[in-house]
Amino acid sequence: MVNVALKTLIAQCFMYADDATNRGLVTIGNMSLRDMLKYDFIRYIGFLYEADSNDSTFSASFINDYFSLYMTPAKFLQFHYENCTNDKFINTVPRSLTYFAKADFSGGQRRTAEGYTVARYIAKAYDTIGREYISYSGASVTELGNLTNYSLMMDKYLQGLGLYTAGKPYTLYSPKTGEGIDMSGIDIDNLDELISNFKGSGSGTGEDDKSGEGTSVKNGKEVKEKEDDKSLEELMDEFNSLVGLKSVKQDLNNLVNLIKVKKMREERGMKQPEISLHLVFSGNPGTGKTTVARLLAKIYKKLGVLKKGHLVEVDRSDLVVGYIGQTATKTAKVIDSALGGVLFIDEAYTLTNTGDEKDFGQEAVDTLLKRMEDERDNLIVIVAGYTDPMDEFVNSNPGLKSRFNKYIFFQDYTGDELYKIFLQMCEKQEYIPSRSAKTYVKKYLTERATRHEENFANAREVRNYIERCIERQANRIVSVEGHVDDESLREFSLQDVKEDIKDEIIPKD
């Protein structure tokens, strides 16, 4: 059965193509933008096709139904092998999308009803078409991976050009105000060559800070925060714009797509694949595990997986008591507070690796495993900690191993990523580093990341560093005689960012 909403979406994409062509926003030559877009959409279907799990007859029918192009199964297979199997396909921006980007940069394109640039609307259409297509075959891991990676590639392209962030619906997109990038004097016919000069507009640090909207619980106590009214797409945008975390984004986008496809199959009366949503987050401190867990809880709520979408963050001290019988009771109360949301257990390996036979950590684990089974539709558990101890923790108990089979590894941040986090923290707190300060900070954080000493804490290290910068700036400001203007209060000078230690890692000016 044809999905009317998808037919409407595709028709709207073609209308945008016709509008850009008719108003002279793009010039392509012999092929119209509509035909180029249709060709790119069909190539995308061919790219997602898997001989082992897809039916070429269905694939040809899908193209006929949604793109009004008659294609036999044999012709589809020929098209697939001739046009869609190149290894570079997954990393190549669709040619039609580059023309939509040029049309946006012309200054004559209005944002969509969702506030997107037209180029981003087209990119999202690819994702929607892909999910509809693979839902009929059960969505294999390979298909989900290809769909997710292709979508992330297009998103990165648009972020690099400043065309990703949403704005006010139906307003004219202005290149001079888009994402803070001044496009005046730039040859828009060479946009593809410019992408390496632009940076994405990531708005999150990915640090394990404890901020966020919605309801959260820390150390077993509920914290009331501003009600989160963000849409699923806004939450996914926030997640995908976090600094770094490339493999984390890929893995969790795959998981979200799997849930979406599962719901689509459920709505159509098809059999549902079994999906375990309990996760193991492994990696060093300050790599974004808590931040991602909080966002994931909200995303799960928007997907209809969880009723509340709150996060309860605990560690061993919130679960274990040194008296017989009390650990089970305390753990049960914590689990009760997490029902309808996500229970996040930091340093979970400390529940089992004490080496003390009389330790009550195992009692907490046993209670947790039973409740995970009893509340399997109303509770998601994420356990987190250093990589090797977490492996030992999960493998220490058959019950843990069977329930936690999805690992998400959080890599350490690079020097460039730490520098981006520093700049974002400065912007959030209304500080502006001087040019010499920026040069120093970038060299300093790069060297810190390279050295990676034993106690290096990634983004937490940056937070501690910026607090020291604020303190040094305050000491400098109060020593100034006379009036202090706003610019001086905002500026980080070289003196403010320099660490007052004698160490070879401190870069020279």
Side-chain angles (χ1 to χ4, degrees):
M1 185 175 70
V2 174
N3 184 331
V4 176
L6 182 61
K7 285 274 287 186
T8 303
L9 172 68
I10 294 171
Q12 183 62 56
C13 291
F14 290 150
M15 287 177 62
Y16 281 130
D18 292 341
D19 181 65
T21 301
N22 295 337
R23 294 199 291 128
L25 301 180
V26 293
T27 304
I28 302 178
N30 294 331
M31 178 181 284
S32 69
L33 184 54
R34 170 191 278 260
D35 289 341
M36 182 183 291
L37 179 61
K38 180 183 290 189
Y39 174 77
D40 284 343
F41 277 154
I42 295 172
R43 280 193 73 198
Y44 178 56
I45 297 300
F47 164 69
L48 293 176
Y49 171 80
E50 272 196 302
D52 292 338
S53 58
N54 291 113
D55 181 355
S56 60
T57 300
F58 162 72
S59 299
S61 175
F62 187 91
I63 292 171
N64 297 339
D65 289 340
Y66 289 103
F67 300 102
S68 302
L69 179 69
Y70 180 71
M71 182 177 283
T72 64
K75 283 290 186 183
F76 171 77
L77 288 176
Q78 181 182 354
F79 180 84
H80 163 73
Y81 289 114
E82 290 180 355
N83 299 280
C84 313
T85 56
N86 190 310
D87 291 340
K88 296 181 179 179
F89 186 94
I90 197 168
N91 295 315
T92 304
V93 177
R95 190 181 176 201
S96 56
L97 185 61
T98 67
Y99 280 101
F100 280 107
K102 292 174 183 178
D104 281 327
F105 275 118
S106 71
Q109 291 273 77
R110 291 189 180 276
R111 292 183 179 273
T112 66
E114 301 82 5
Y116 300 145
T117 60
V118 173
R120 187 180 173 197
Y121 184 90
I122 298 299
K124 290 187 72 65
Y126 275 90
D127 184 74
T128 304
I129 292 168
R131 282 192 278 109
E132 180 74 15
Y133 172 70
I134 67 175
S135 69
Y136 286 93
S137 63
S140 70
V141 173
T142 300
E143 288 174 322
L144 281 170
N146 286 339
L147 184 151
T148 300
N149 289 334
Y150 199 74
S151 295
L152 288 174
M153 177 272 296
M154 289 189 290
D155 288 349
K156 183 178 179 181
Y157 173 80
L158 297 177
Q159 286 171 350
L161 293 175
L163 292 170
Y164 187 80
T165 302
K168 188 175 181 180
Y170 303 117
T171 57
L172 281 173
Y173 173 78
S174 172
K176 292 185 179 181
T177 59
E179 300 297 312
I181 299 174
D182 187 352
M183 295 298 296
S184 58
I186 292 179
D187 180 5
I188 64 173
D189 290 330
N190 295 312
L191 285 181
D192 297 333
E193 299 176 8
L194 296 172
I195 192 167
S196 62
N197 297 322
F198 292 155
K199 297 178 180 179
S201 58
S203 59
T205 66
E207 182 197 2
D208 286 340
D209 61 24
K210 312 304 177 191
S211 62
E213 296 182 346
T215 302
S216 66
V217 179
K218 183 177 179 182
N219 299 331
K221 295 180 180 179
E222 186 173 288
V223 179
K224 292 294 184 181
E225 300 171 349
K226 182 180 178 182
E227 184 67 23
D228 186 4
D229 58 355
K230 294 180 181 178
S231 67
L232 173 61
E233 292 178 341
E234 289 172 328
L235 289 170
M236 290 303 300
D237 290 346
E238 183 178 347
F239 168 63
N240 287 319
S241 67
L242 293 172
V243 172
L245 306 177
K246 180 179 179 181
S247 63
V248 175
K249 293 173 184 176
Q250 179 177 327
D251 288 342
L252 293 183
N253 272 278
N254 283 346
L255 183 60
V256 169
N257 283 333
L258 187 60
I259 294 170
K260 289 179 179 178
V261 171
K262 181 177 183 293
K263 290 183 70 67
M264 292 170 67
R265 291 175 62 84
E266 181 181 6
E267 291 169 356
R268 297 174 193 191
M270 300 179 180
K271 292 183 178 179
Q272 307 304 308
E274 290 295 328
I275 304 174
S276 175
L277 299 180
H278 304 301
L279 300 169
V280 179
F281 282 5
S282 64
N284 290 325
T287 48
K289 296 185 288 293
T290 306
T291 298
V292 170
R294 184 178 292 108
L295 278 171
L296 191 58
K298 297 176 184 179
I299 290 169
Y300 278 160
K301 178 184 178 182
K302 294 298 181 182
L303 287 168
V305 175
L306 294 172
K307 295 179 180 178
K308 296 181 180 178
H310 65 299
L311 183 80
V312 176
E313 180 190 351
V314 298
D315 58 22
R316 174 188 167 87
S317 65
D318 302 305
L319 303 174
V320 179
V321 183
Y323 301 97
I324 296 176
Q326 292 189 7
T327 290
T329 301
K330 188 173 184 180
T331 301
K333 288 181 178 179
V334 170
I335 294 172
D336 287 341
S337 71
L339 293 180
V342 172
L343 176 61
F344 181 86
I345 307 176
D346 197 16
E347 297 183 338
Y349 50 81
T350 59
L351 294 173
T352 59
N353 71 350
T354 62
D356 184 354
E357 294 182 358
K358 298 180 180 179
D359 184 78
F360 296 106
Q362 187 59 50
E363 187 178 345
V365 172
D366 294 340
T367 303
L368 177 66
L369 291 175
K370 184 178 186 306
R371 292 295 299 276
M372 286 173 69
E373 179 62 25
D374 296 342
E375 305 287 352
R376 57 183 176 272
D377 296 326
N378 197 31
L379 175 69
I380 291 174
V381 180
I382 299 176
V383 290
Y386 289 101
T387 303
D388 290 341
M390 287 307 299
D391 287 340
E392 295 176 7
F393 169 71
V394 173
N395 290 314
S396 69
N397 185 307
L400 290 171
K401 191 173 183 180
S402 65
R403 288 168 176 80
F404 293 101
N405 54 28
K406 179 68 174 176
Y407 286 73
I408 307 294
F409 176 64
F410 288 69
Q411 292 183 321
D412 292 325
Y413 289 112
T414 65
D416 283 342
E417 289 167 349
L418 292 174
Y419 177 63
K420 290 179 182 177
I421 291 172
F422 172 83
L423 294 179
Q424 289 180 0
M425 288 182 178
C426 285
E427 182 178 0
K428 186 176 181 180
Q429 299 183 58
E430 294 190 66
Y431 287 99
I432 303 174
S434 67
R435 180 176 298 180
S436 60
K438 286 182 179 179
T439 300
Y440 176 90
V441 171
K442 188 169 187 178
K443 290 180 180 179
Y444 171 70
L445 291 177
T446 298
E447 186 61 31
R448 293 285 289 173
T450 302
R451 286 278 295 270
H452 206 285
E453 297 171 328
E454 184 177 355
N455 296 323
F456 186 74
N458 287 283
R460 292 182 192 171
E461 191 83 11
V462 179
R463 178 176 292 280
N464 293 336
Y465 171 57
I466 202 170
E467 287 176 356
R468 295 194 296 273
C469 293
I470 292 172
E471 183 178 328
R472 285 190 289 264
Q473 190 239 33
N475 289 333
R476 176 176 60 82
I477 291 293
V478 296
S479 66
V480 174
E481 295 183 1
H483 175 70
V484 178
D485 59 22
D486 290 352
E487 183 178 350
S488 298
L489 286 172
R490 293 191 183 99
E491 184 181 56
F492 274 156
S493 69
L494 179 59
Q495 176 184 342
D496 301 330
V497 300
K498 266 192 172 183
E499 292 285 70
D500 188 21
I501 56 176
K502 295 180 180 179
D503 194 313
E504 66 272 18
I505 72 166
I506 303 299
K508 297 180 180 179
D509 294 338

